[in-house]
Every structure is written in C-alpha cells, then in structure tokens.
C-alpha cells in the first residue's frame, strides 16, 4: 500500500472518525479535557512564578556588578553559630592598603561601614536610611549613577568634609520641589552638605538600595565612631576569573591578618555569582516540588483518559467489528483511538496553557512577584500533555485493534 493511500485511509479517515466521536460525546470530552488542563495550568503557573523570581533576582544581583567581591567578617548566608563570626577581628585600613598593593587584578577598592539612622531636611524626615561611609572608588564598585552633582572625591576623604550623596528615594522624599544640591541635611542631628544625588537602583534581596546616603569614610568615623565592623568592597578586571581572584584574595588576607597555617579563615569572600548559585539551589527544590505536583495532576488526567477510552472501546465494539469486516487493518483502529486520546489531551494542554499563563499574569499584576513564562515552557507543557494522552491511549487502542471481528459484530 502506497504512503498516499496509507495517509488517506489511516490518518485522514481516523482523524475524521475521532473528531466525530469526540463531538458525539461532548460532555465526556470536556470533563476529560479538564483533567489534563488543570495539570498543565498548575504546572505552568508555578513554573512561571518561579522563573519570574529567578529573573528578578538575577536583575537585582546585576546591579551589584558581576565583577564585584565583598570581603567581610560575615558570610552572606550564615550557617551555624553567629557568635563565631561576631567574634572575628575587625578589618583595618592598613589591611585594605596591603590588599590593594599586593593584589594585581583590583580595579577599585573601598572600605565600607554602615549604620541605620534618620535623615532630615527642615520639617521633612526619612527614617531607617542606610548611612554608608566609603571611599570615592565605591561608585565604580557599586555601579552607582550620579544624576546631579557629583559623587565623593579623594579630597572629601582627605580633609574630612561633612558632605553626603543622597540615594534616589531619600532625595525625592526630602526635596520634592527643589534641587538638593548645596542644601544641608541632618543625619542623626549632624549637618551635612548635599553634593550629589544618585539614580535608582531598586531592591537587592528585599533591601531598598535607594534608601541610602553616602559620606566619606573618615567623616563617618569622625561622627559615628570607629568600632563598627568594616567590609572591603572590590571590583576586579575580569569577571570570568572569579575563582582565581578569590584564591588570591584569601591568600593575601590570611597573610596580612597573620592567620596561622592550619587555622580556618577569619573572614569570608562573598561573591555575587556564589549568591546566585545558592539561590538557584533553593529555587531548584521549589522547581522539583512544583514539577512533582504538576506531573501527579497530569498522571491523574492520563488515567482519566484511559478510563474514558476503555469505555469508548466497549460502546463502539460493533462499530469496530463493522470496520474490521470491511477490511480495516489493526493499525488503522490503533491509529484512530490514539488520535482520539492525544487530541483530547492536546486540547486540554492548550486550555491549561491559557489558564496557566493567565494565572501567572494575574499573580504578577496583584503581587510583587514577577511571573515569567518562557516559550520553551509553554511548548513543553502542551507537548507533554499530548504525550500523556498518547501513552495512556495505547492500551485501549490495542484492545480495540485486537477485537475479533465476528465477536465484535455479535456484541450487544
């Protein structure tokens, strides 16, 4: 038999009979479709939300810079006893200077200290603002954009000037109608002259980066004391050599802090890419749970398709007998029932895709979660739904094809 004849007889005729059968049992078809649709919708909605979280987190980390390293007493993800990290020795400016002179890949370096305080101008006040004491290099390290005025300079540091640069939210709250440049703000009751304002950075790990102000490192210590733990912020030339950079930093820091051989490091080198890896591990577990829930739902839908197809085979036994008596081959019967099962499943996949995308969109509109459903996820969801229908339709299709034509014609 030629391919054209096989296609016309088996495929086209099978498809026509499948469509007719599904239309003849609309309610049963709709209910079966819903089973698959719910599974696909659940899977797409959850995966979309998790993908949105991942994209949002990657964008937040990008604001810190891919070539940035922070050396601190504390790791970004604390495990175990917090007091072990708390009791580590603070860094000194001499150690920062040695680090800058010995490391050959550093493009910018700055000590960084921080405290929370209120910032006021006249009757207006902003509470819980991050007050940062840094060097001028910190602008390049943190990728800060100056939108008016200037950032801190080395001269500000050397002469201990009482100047400050305002984050976007602080500037907008204290100076809603006039330029902040040249104005005086009071930080913890002390006057500071505004020399610049920064562009928006957004949030990084739920922390608002725009609710910050910056002042010279020496000025910070003069006004608020020197006892706070210092962090060392570093920008390196090649982000692709981070592992090598970390090894060199660890070696230099152990040497300048006189850490004995065999003793554990009393500092942590925190990298943005390692934080991203940790985050991906956390969301990977959520992915597994979400995928498991979706697959179980699809499994239930597949069992429903198999049950309905078995009922259909029994109801249409005489029809199968007539077709077999008129010369229909077993493969024609198999193809017909497989097309019915996969069609129901594919329609359920499309319905579930629509509902899943809509749910993810609604969640992104009414919550801070930014859903992100990728085309590959949609294609994969529909294809998998069709595959479920195909697999769960094999047994009923084979059972129909193996019916004896004579016995099938006698069936009442």
């Amino acid at each position: 038999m030629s391919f054209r004849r096989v296609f016309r007889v088996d495929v086209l005729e099978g498809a026509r009979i499948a469509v007719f059968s599904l239309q003849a049992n609309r309610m049963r078809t709709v209910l079966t479709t819903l089973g698959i649709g719910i599974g696909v919708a659940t899977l797409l909605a959850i995966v979309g939300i998790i993908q949105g979280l991942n994209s949002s987190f990657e964008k937040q980390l990008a604001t810190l810079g891919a070539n940035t390293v922070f050396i601190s007493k504390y790791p970004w993800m604390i495990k175990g006893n917090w007091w072990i990290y708390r009791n580590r020795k603070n860094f000194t400016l001499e150690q920062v200077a040695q680090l800058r002179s010995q490391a050959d890949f550093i493009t910018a370096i700055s000590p960084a200290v921080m405290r929370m305080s209120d910032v006021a101008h006249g009757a207006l006040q902003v509470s819980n603002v991050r007050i940062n004491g840094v060097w001028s290099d910190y602008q390049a390290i943190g990728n800060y954009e100056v939108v008016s005025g200037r950032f801190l300079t080395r001269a500000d540091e050397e002469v201990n000037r009482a100047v400050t640069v305002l984050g976007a939210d602080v500037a907008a709250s204290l100076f809603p109608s006039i330029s902040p440049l040249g104005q005086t703000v009071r930080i913890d009751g002390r006057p500071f002259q505004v020399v610049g304002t920064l562009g928006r950075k957004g949030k990084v790990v739920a922390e608002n980066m725009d609710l910050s102000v910056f002042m010279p490192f020496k000025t910070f210590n003069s006004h608020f004391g020197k006892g706070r733990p210092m962090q060392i912020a570093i920008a390196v030339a090649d982000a692709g050599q981070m592992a090598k950079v970390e090894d060199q930093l660890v070696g230099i820091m152990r040497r300048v802090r006189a850490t004995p051989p065999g003793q554990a490091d009393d500092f942590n080198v925190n990298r943005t890419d390692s934080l991203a890896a940790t985050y991906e591990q956390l969301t990977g577990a959520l992915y597994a749970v979400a995928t498991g829930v979706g697959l179980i739902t699809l499994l239930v839908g597949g069992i429903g398709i198999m049950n309905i197809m078995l009922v259909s085979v029994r109801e249409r036994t005489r029809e199968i007998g007539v077709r077999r008596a008129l010369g229909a081959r077993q493969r024609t019967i198999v193809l017909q029932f497989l097309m019915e099962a996969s069609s129901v499943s594919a329609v359920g996949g499309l319905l579930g895709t629509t509902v899943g995308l809509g749910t993810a969109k609604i969640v992104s509109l009414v919550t801070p979660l930014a859903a992100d459903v990728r085309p590959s996820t949609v294609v994969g969801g529909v294809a998998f739904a069709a595959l479920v229908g195909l697999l769960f339709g094999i047994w009923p299709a084979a059972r129909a094809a193996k019916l004896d034509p004579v016995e099938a014609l006698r069936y009442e």
Side-chain angles (χ1 to χ4, degrees):
M1 186 179 292
S2 66
F3 174 77
R4 181 179 297 179
R5 180 175 172 77
V6 170
F7 180 80
R8 184 172 61 81
V9 174
D10 290 353
V11 178
L12 295 184
E13 187 65 15
R16 190 187 66 79
I17 295 174
V19 171
F20 176 78
S21 174
L22 295 177
Q23 289 178 338
N25 300 280
R26 291 179 181 176
M27 181 57 68
R28 190 167 67 188
T29 302
V30 168
L31 292 177
T32 308
T33 301
L34 284 178
I36 295 294
I38 291 172
V40 174
T42 303
L43 191 61
L44 281 184
I46 296 176
V47 171
I49 292 172
I50 294 176
Q51 286 178 339
L53 287 173
N54 287 342
S55 298
S56 175
F57 189 70
E58 289 171 0
K59 290 178 182 177
Q60 292 176 20
L61 286 183
T63 63
L64 293 177
N67 60 336
T68 305
V69 176
F70 296 88
I71 303 178
S72 172
K73 288 171 57 175
Y74 304 95
W76 280 346
M77 302 291 287
I78 293 181
K79 298 177 181 177
N81 190 348
W82 177 82
W83 284 99
I84 295 176
Y85 306 105
R86 171 66 178 80
N87 293 331
R88 289 173 167 177
K89 294 181 297 183
N90 287 338
F91 302 137
T92 65
L93 284 180
E94 290 74 19
Q95 292 172 355
V96 177
Q98 288 180 290
L99 195 60
R100 179 165 56 180
S101 64
Q102 296 180 28
D104 53 12
F105 45 76
I106 292 178
T107 59
I109 185 170
S110 171
V113 287
M114 188 274 292
R115 63 166 293 172
M116 305 299 291
S117 184
D118 298 336
V119 181
H121 173 72
L124 298 177
Q125 177 175 302
V126 182
S127 301
N128 297 320
V129 178
R130 286 171 57 94
I131 314 299
N132 300 280
V134 297
W135 287 350
S136 58
D137 276 3
Y138 199 83
Q139 180 190 359
I141 298 171
N143 291 324
Y144 284 98
E145 177 193 8
V146 176
V147 296
S148 66
R150 62 174 176 82
F151 198 72
L152 306 173
T153 65
R154 292 189 178 182
D156 294 330
E157 178 70 24
E158 291 170 356
V159 300
N160 197 14
R161 286 175 181 154
V163 295
T164 186
V165 179
L166 305 183
D169 283 350
V170 179
S173 299
L174 296 182
F175 302 97
S177 58
I178 63 173
S179 171
L181 299 181
Q183 301 291 329
T184 298
V185 296
R186 301 192 71 82
I187 301 176
D188 202 22
R190 299 171 175 82
F192 292 85
Q193 183 185 22
V194 179
V195 296
T197 61
L198 301 173
R200 291 203 171 277
K201 293 277 285 184
K203 291 184 177 181
V204 176
V205 195
E207 183 172 335
N208 186 357
M209 304 296 286
D210 300 318
L211 208 58
S212 304
V213 301
F214 296 86
M215 64 178 63
F217 181 80
K218 186 184 293 184
T219 304
F220 182 99
N221 285 339
S222 298
H223 286 81
F224 305 117
K226 299 181 180 179
R228 290 176 177 78
M230 176 200 304
Q231 182 176 232
I232 304 173
I234 297 171
V236 300
D238 187 0
Q241 300 291 323
M242 275 299 178
K244 185 178 178 180
V245 167
E246 182 175 349
D247 290 341
Q248 189 177 19
L249 287 175
V250 169
I252 296 174
M253 287 299 294
R254 287 183 65 88
R255 186 162 57 250
V256 301
R257 286 169 70 82
T259 305
Q263 183 173 317
D265 298 338
D266 59 348
F267 58 89
N268 278 89
V269 178
N270 297 312
R271 293 161 41 188
T272 54
D273 56 345
S274 61
L275 184 61
T278 303
Y279 182 81
E280 288 177 359
Q281 288 179 357
L282 294 175
T283 55
L286 291 177
Y287 254 128
V289 173
T291 304
V293 171
L295 292 179
I296 290 173
T297 310
L298 285 174
L299 178 64
V300 173
I303 293 174
I305 287 179
M306 181 186 289
N307 183 45
I308 292 302
M309 293 306 298
L310 287 172
V311 173
S312 179
V313 169
R314 188 176 61 186
E315 291 176 347
R316 295 158 62 189
T317 299
R318 284 182 60 82
E319 172 194 323
I320 296 170
V322 171
R323 295 195 66 196
R324 292 282 284 131
L326 293 176
R329 298 171 178 267
Q330 287 188 338
R331 70 183 182 198
T332 304
I333 303 299
V334 168
L335 188 61
Q336 172 193 332
F337 280 92
L338 286 182
M339 291 177 71
E340 285 188 30
S342 58
S343 298
V344 170
S345 192
V347 171
L350 290 173
L351 177 65
T353 299
T354 304
V355 175
L357 291 176
T359 303
K361 185 66 176 177
I362 292 173
V363 169
S364 66
L365 289 176
V366 301
T367 72
L369 302 176
D372 178 18
V373 181
R374 297 166 186 168
S376 59
T377 305
V378 175
V379 174
V382 175
F384 189 74
L387 181 62
V388 168
L390 193 64
L391 292 177
F392 282 88
I394 289 177
W395 184 33
R399 188 170 179 178
K402 290 180 180 178
L403 287 176
D404 182 81
V406 177
E407 295 297 326
L409 288 171
R410 290 177 179 173
Y411 184 80
E412 295 293 340

